Amino acid sequence: MEDPNAPGGRIAHAGSFAVWPGWQVLMQDAGVNGANVLRRAQLPGDLLSRENARLDSATYFRLWEAIEAEAGTAGGPAPLRFAEKMSADWFDPELFVALCSEDMNGALGRLAKFKRLSGPMALKVERTARRTTATLEFLDRALPPPPVLVAFKLVFFVQLARMATRSPVRPLKVGWPSPAMSAADARAYADYFGVSVERMPEPTVVFTAEDTQRPFLTANHGMWTFFESALRQRLADLDRHASSVERVRGVLLEALPAGELSMQAVSRKLGVSSRTLQRRLKEEGSSFQQTLDALRNSLAHHYLHNSAMSGSEISFLLGFEDPNSFVRAFHGWTGTTPQAVRMASTKVRN
């Protein structure tokens, strides 16, 4: 990977995510000094003016932490200040793709398809006759996202619905893990959403079916057709340049609950032979088992810290045959037990 701090260096590599020039405008409108943000994040001063600036997950998160630090507390939480300044004039592909949709259900479907272009996350959308639930899943469990980023993404969904329908859309529920915040911030978010932020295992917003079916006044099928091919190409480029470790992790995340964890099964899904996959992982300094163990370890810690699931339930989600196998494996990774980690996490929260 090229050094993002190198003058004029190109920031683009496997598992990298876009930072669009429009962010400079949005920060300026929200009263956040973009130059100071970049200095705080130790990034090049011209980053926000580049057309193809890309950052890896850790640097992307560091940028958001710098945004929050520079925004300060005056004027309320930074995500709400950004929402207030969001408009169709802020050219961000994520916003534009959504605004061209017919309704919120369509917008969420498109965002789910292209979410990886805008950050190290995936979007899961579930629809019933009465509601639509949008849940964010951050792809690297070992690298927790900054709370400011989590909050902004959920604020973005609500602001999008209000902008596109010109209606005071109010979600049924909003929540994210460990929503620790000051009383003033809690009131500000409750005033904005219309409901209090809850503690949820994953960042989630729930809309009524009526709200997600309201026609978008910004719908533009012609513009969507024009931009879709470019977005598809960007997604294909991201997959093509992803490292073998990242691709294996992606397949394993989907396969874990079903227990389809053999190298042969993963190789088939990636369209390569087991020997080729093994060679590529070795070239990257890893192996199939190391990749699987690292993923299970990070997911186990996530579940132990952020859910009340039993050891048996976690064992199932991680694809172990029985809870004892999970406990033995966890001890081998960490030198301690799942119960000890959960007890320590509970003490910290209390």
Side-chain angles (χ1 to χ4, degrees):
M1 180 182 105
E2 296 185 54
D3 182 3
N5 296 302
R10 182 172 61 88
I11 303 175
H13 66 102
S16 61
F17 308 95
V19 180
W20 302 97
W23 274 99
Q24 188 165 6
V25 176
L26 184 63
M27 283 195 287
Q28 180 177 324
D29 290 347
V32 178
N33 188 303
N36 287 348
V37 166
L38 294 175
R39 278 193 286 269
R40 285 178 183 271
Q42 298 180 318
L43 289 169
D46 67 341
L47 178 73
L48 296 176
S49 62
R50 301 181 189 179
E51 290 189 7
N52 295 305
R54 303 190 69 81
L55 305 176
D56 61 28
S57 297
T59 311
Y60 185 84
F61 288 169
R62 192 169 77 239
L63 175 62
W64 271 96
E65 290 169 345
I67 289 173
E68 181 176 38
E70 183 62 26
T73 57
L80 299 185
R81 289 157 59 184
F82 287 149
E84 182 183 348
K85 301 300 179 181
M86 276 174 57
S87 71
D89 296 332
W90 171 49
F91 187 82
D92 177 90
E94 187 175 17
L95 176 62
F96 196 77
V97 161
L99 288 175
C100 287
S101 306
E102 297 295 326
D103 56 25
M104 192 63 184
N105 280 328
L108 289 172
R110 288 178 178 175
L111 290 173
K113 187 173 185 178
F114 296 105
K115 195 65 185 166
R116 286 188 301 126
L117 292 177
S118 62
M121 66 196 85
L123 175 63
K124 180 181 178 182
V125 182
E126 295 181 345
R127 293 175 56 185
T128 68
R130 300 180 63 182
R131 61 184 61 188
T132 294
T133 301
T135 304
L136 285 171
E137 179 183 13
F138 286 85
L139 303 180
D140 190 345
R141 301 285 187 170
L143 188 65
V148 63
L149 174 58
V150 173
F152 176 75
K153 289 300 178 181
L154 298 187
V155 167
F156 173 88
F157 294 143
V158 175
Q159 188 69 7
L160 164 65
R162 292 172 179 172
M163 285 175 55
T165 63
R166 301 299 193 270
S167 302
V169 172
R170 173 179 171 175
L172 292 172
K173 289 185 177 182
V174 178
W176 55 79
S178 304
M181 62 184 81
S182 68
D185 283 358
R187 285 194 299 271
Y189 280 116
D191 290 343
Y192 174 80
F193 289 125
V195 293
S196 297
V197 175
E198 301 179 27
R199 186 191 192 93
M200 294 185 180
E202 301 287 355
T204 302
V205 58
V206 183
F207 295 99
T208 65
E210 179 184 1
D211 281 338
T212 55
Q213 293 169 11
R214 292 179 187 271
F216 273 18
L217 303 181
T218 55
N220 190 324
H221 181 71
M223 290 299 290
W224 164 245
T225 302
F226 178 78
F227 278 99
E228 183 183 18
S229 60
L231 291 170
R232 286 182 181 275
Q233 184 59 54
R234 284 180 178 271
L235 198 60
D237 290 343
L238 184 63
D239 287 335
R240 185 168 63 252
H241 294 299
S243 70
S244 294
V245 170
E246 289 169 333
R247 297 182 70 196
V248 168
R249 281 171 61 92
V251 172
L252 288 174
L253 274 171
E254 297 180 0
L256 276 173
E260 300 172 353
L261 305 178
S262 68
M263 179 180 285
Q264 290 74 20
V266 172
S267 297
R268 282 196 300 272
K269 290 189 177 182
L270 292 176
V272 299
S273 69
S274 297
R275 179 175 295 181
T276 297
L277 181 59
Q278 192 171 24
R279 174 176 56 78
R280 290 177 179 174
L281 290 172
K282 185 177 180 179
E283 290 172 352
E284 295 174 15
S286 186
S287 69
F288 182 81
Q289 191 60 50
Q290 287 174 333
T291 304
L292 174 59
D293 287 346
L295 178 61
R296 279 174 156 171
N297 186 16
S298 62
L299 285 173
H301 278 85
H302 174 80
Y303 294 139
L304 291 168
H305 285 294
N306 299 295
S307 80
M309 288 189 291
S310 67
S312 296
E313 291 172 320
I314 295 174
S315 172
F316 170 77
L317 288 175
L318 298 182
F320 285 97
E321 293 183 359
D322 60 76
N324 289 333
S325 297
F326 165 53
V327 172
R328 286 195 297 271
F330 191 87
H331 190 273
W333 302 329
T334 65
T336 187
T337 65
Q339 184 63 23
V341 169
R342 170 157 282 166
M343 290 177 64
S345 176
T346 302
K347 288 181 181 178
V348 170
R349 288 198 300 268
N350 293 336

